[in-house]
Amino acid sequence: MSFFTFLKNSLSDERQILRQSEADQLQLPAEMLERLDTENAVVNVRRLVPFSALIFLIEILNQAVIFTADISPAAHGAYLAAGASMLALMVTAAALAYRFLTAPVVERRRCKSLYRAFWWLFSINMLVFVALEIITRRLTNNYFYLLILTAAFPLLSRKEAFWLFGLDAAVAIHVAVVFGFTAQQLLQLPLIAVFALILSRVLYNAHRSNDITLARLEVSNQKLAALARTDPLTGLLNRRGVQETLDETLSQNGGGLGVVFLMVDIDLFKSYNDRFGHNQGDVCLQKVADTLRRCVRGPADLAARIGGEEFLVVLIDCPAMEVLPAAQRLRQKVLDLGLEAATDAVNRCVTVSVGTASARAPIDFTTLYNQADKALYQAKNAGRNCVVLGSRIDCGTK
């Protein structure tokens, strides 16, 4: 395989990786992509600190070597000025990186501006050294160092990398041509630039692909966690989900909140399934679930399907005088759906029975659940399509 065939295949592979990464990004929420972009900017800025310290030490040694070199005083002055500029850049970059990363809120825009400005200024400083090396000693060592450092350290996008490497190659080749490098020497400059550009893309794509893969795994885990807490038929919380969500809500708001459980059961649902079939039974469950979801008062209240035709509505900080109206409103909303009942033993339309129980946080979920379930049982025995509040039976308007 020739070098150019190898080069073509390598670039093709990297394009494929990039396309796959871009396709994977479309499956991620916008807020997660924004977070990844922020993390990428933070990584770039964090890497500036050790890099700046290393370059600072190298430049001190470099100036010591140049001071003893047999070159003209003018060249010594030029090296010294370039070295002072490089040292100032390293100190400034490290100081700004520390300031940005220790701020109460890390701003993505400031981080991106810092590392972009740093790499442009670093490249320009290094290009001065490249020109000095070519002019005074006909060497291109600094050019190779510049390209490899630029490829290995910053996680630059394709556009950013193209312009940086393009600037490096254009300046170095121009200076080399002016000072009469041989064709063999000149050929090395664009080849090393292409190599560095490929290395930059490989590192960036590997990092980005890894980030996207981890983000997709996080999204998948979130979906699995949601499925574990959600009833797949109705989209309501299941028993585990309502219990965990209620615990989280109460822990965030402290003790003393009033908690009301409304146990809701579809009357004669087995007869409904027997007459209309299980598919229509699922439709009935979904419509009742949608009604319960619409009846909750706000984001703190919860609606859940506990199992079969049984549901639970949790009211948070609901005044005692509003519990019965809330339960009756829920019962009436289901009746207003106008779903044909399997039998008119209770009503010609599908109805629900409701049992309630109340307590002050902290609560024992199982105890309050059993109290509400007991009240529901009383509502069933009282003829269904009614609400039991404590020991009080309220049939409302049937």
Side-chain angles (χ1 to χ4, degrees), residues 62 120 123 245 319 321 395:
N62 187 47
W120 277 103
S123 291
T245 306
M321 65 181 64
C395 295

Side-chain angles (χ1 to χ4, degrees), residues 30 46 57 80 173 187 198 200 203 218 285 309 354:
R46 186 175 289 119
L57 294 176
L80 182 61
I173 293 173
L187 182 60
I198 293 174
S200 171
L203 294 176
E218 182 180 339
L285 289 170
E309 69 272 24
V354 184

Side-chain angles (χ1 to χ4, degrees), residues 167-183:
L167 171 70
D168 297 340
V171 172
I173 293 173
H174 176 75
V175 174
V177 169
V178 170
F179 284 87
F181 271 35
T182 65

Side-chain angles (χ1 to χ4, degrees), residues 130-150:
V130 170
L132 288 172
E133 289 281 89
I134 293 175
I135 294 169
T136 59
R137 296 189 285 182
R138 300 181 62 80
L139 297 175
T140 55
N141 293 345
N142 276 316
Y143 176 67
F144 300 151
Y145 297 152
L146 167 60
L147 294 179
I148 298 304
L149 288 173
T150 308

